Amino acid sequence: MAVRVGIAGLGGLGSNIAVMLVRSGFRDLVLVDFDTVAESNLNRQIYFRKHLGIKKTEACSEILKMIDPEIGPVTSDVRLTEQNIPEVFRGCGIVCEALDSPEAKAMLVNTVLTEMPGAYVVSGSGIAGWGCPNDIITKHIFKKLYVCGDGTSDTGDMHAPRVTVCAGHQANLILRLVYGMEDEKIER
Amino acid sequence: MIANGREIKVGAGTTLQEFLVSSGYDPRNVAVELNGRISPRNAFNDVILKNTDSLEIVSFVGGG
């Protein structure tokens, strides 16, 4: 797949999205997370017990290479800011928003849309709990912004099924964008 | 003005920041498209809304 895809956050959404994209043939990924793998992540993220305490960028790359040894993802263990986002995601036709706090999500979305003209943002919002998974949908919000999720669920814990449903929406939308099934084609 | 598909009257001189706050949004958690163009967050205080404007607001919730 010729399109470079950035993934901001390698938690429940981002780590699962990365696996789905690699299984779908994506090799040019930029993986960004400043955190390390914690015990509480194992209920929904792709990591294994042996990864506890290891950087998520490192653990995620290791797992992705077990699926496709040819991939060499670009990794960055920085905290994303308005200043570093254009540099970190340089060359990405799509940036996947998979961060945790609403402020960080809004900051990333706003920065990519204003500073990286041409890039699409695929965001996840509203995935907590075990409410009806049919409430999780993909919405085309702005010209270059899609948001997946139910838009409201932020209370309670996060669990693998609903988080993975949303990650599936995000990964599927990326395939649709790349294969030109959504209204516009992606340029690098 | 149209905001998220609904027709709303705005008072003369209302800024985008004021509209967001009075509508219950936290301006730190939103992205806004005004007349089809993304509205930079550092300009929310400078944008004066008009009744001919079309506004799309998305508010993000936590969890990733």
Side-chain angles (χ1 to χ4, degrees), chain A residues 30-145:
Chain A
V30 178
L31 309 175
V32 186
D33 200 303
F34 62 82
D35 214 352
T36 54
V37 179
E39 179 96 30
S40 62
N41 300 152
L42 299 182
N43 77 336
R44 66 190 189 284
Q45 306 185 15
I46 61 169
Y47 310 110
F48 297 95
R49 192 153 291 280
K50 69 164 185 170
H51 295 122
L52 293 176
I54 295 176
K55 284 177 186 166
K56 287 188 179 177
T57 47
E58 206 175 296
C60 190
S61 295
E62 182 195 313
I63 293 167
L64 298 180
K65 283 179 183 167
M66 286 161 61
I67 300 166
D68 182 353
E70 300 293 311
I71 76 154
V74 175
T75 61
S76 185
D77 51 324
V78 297
R79 190 180 283 270
L80 290 165
T81 66
E82 289 177 359
Q83 288 70 39
N84 68 17
I85 283 169
E87 183 56 34
V88 169
F89 292 115
R90 179 183 293 274
C92 291
I94 303 171
V95 177
C96 202
E97 182 284 303
L99 299 169
D100 196 24
S101 78
E103 295 87 353
K105 286 171 180 288
M107 184 277 296
L108 179 99
V109 168
N110 278 285
T111 306
V112 174
L113 293 178
T114 53
E115 305 299 324
M116 298 177 61
Y120 281 82
V121 184
V122 176
S123 176
S125 178
I127 55 170
W130 46 66
C132 183
N134 293 349
D135 294 338
I136 291 176
I137 57 171
T138 298
K139 280 173 96 172
H140 191 178
I141 305 265
F142 303 162
K143 189 158 177 273
K144 297 285 186 183
L145 172 65

Side-chain angles (χ1 to χ4, degrees), chain B residues 48-61:
Chain B
I48 310 288
L49 295 173
K50 302 184 294 290
N51 277 311
T52 50
D53 283 336
S54 175
L55 205 57
E56 282 294 329
I57 304 156
V58 58
S59 185
F60 296 94
V61 302

Side-chain angles (χ1 to χ4, degrees), chain B residues 10 13 23 27 29 38 50 57:
Chain B
V10 284
S23 304
N29 298 352
I38 185 82
K50 302 184 294 290
I57 304 156

Side-chain angles (χ1 to χ4, degrees), chain B residues 10-34:
Chain B
V10 284
T14 304
T15 66
L16 178 52
Q17 175 82 11
E18 288 165 347
F19 176 78
L20 290 171
V21 171
S22 67
S23 304
Y25 292 101
D26 181 339
R28 292 171 305 174
N29 298 352
V30 301
V32 178
E33 204 174 53
L34 177 62

